[in-house]
Amino acid sequence: MTADIINLRQVRKARRRVAKETEAAENRIRFGQSRSRKDKAKADADKAARTLEGHRLDKSSRDDDGA
């Protein structure tokens, strides 16, 4: 019935290491893209938005049909 003896300092350090690694992984995902890749992604998103806007039907053209 003896409990395992643990060193609390080592447990705290291990917990901090895990937390830092988790944060580092999130930052790699968030900030890990090069400038050219970010610019290309933004240009693609802008082009898609323009294309969608260009294909949108106007409400005013439907109301002018005499309805």
Side-chain angles (χ1 to χ4, degrees):
M1 290 290 208
T2 61
D4 292 334
I5 298 174
I6 59 170
N7 189 335
L8 295 178
R9 177 179 48 84
Q10 290 176 342
V11 172
R12 277 189 233 113
K13 282 185 176 185
R15 192 180 314 139
R16 275 192 225 122
R17 274 194 294 271
V18 170
K20 281 186 177 185
E21 181 57 36
T22 303
E23 183 180 1
E26 291 172 0
N27 285 340
R28 280 193 294 271
I29 292 169
R30 188 178 315 149
F31 300 112
Q33 295 181 353
S34 66
R35 171 60 59 189
S36 61
R37 215 173 257 235
K38 287 179 188 178
D39 290 343
K40 173 131 176 52
K42 184 173 181 342
D44 290 344
D46 290 344
K47 183 178 179 188
R50 283 193 313 271
T51 302
L52 181 65
E53 187 64 32
H55 288 91
R56 187 176 302 245
L57 297 175
D58 292 332
K59 288 183 180 180
S60 62
S61 64
R62 285 188 273 160
D63 292 340
D64 293 336
D65 292 339

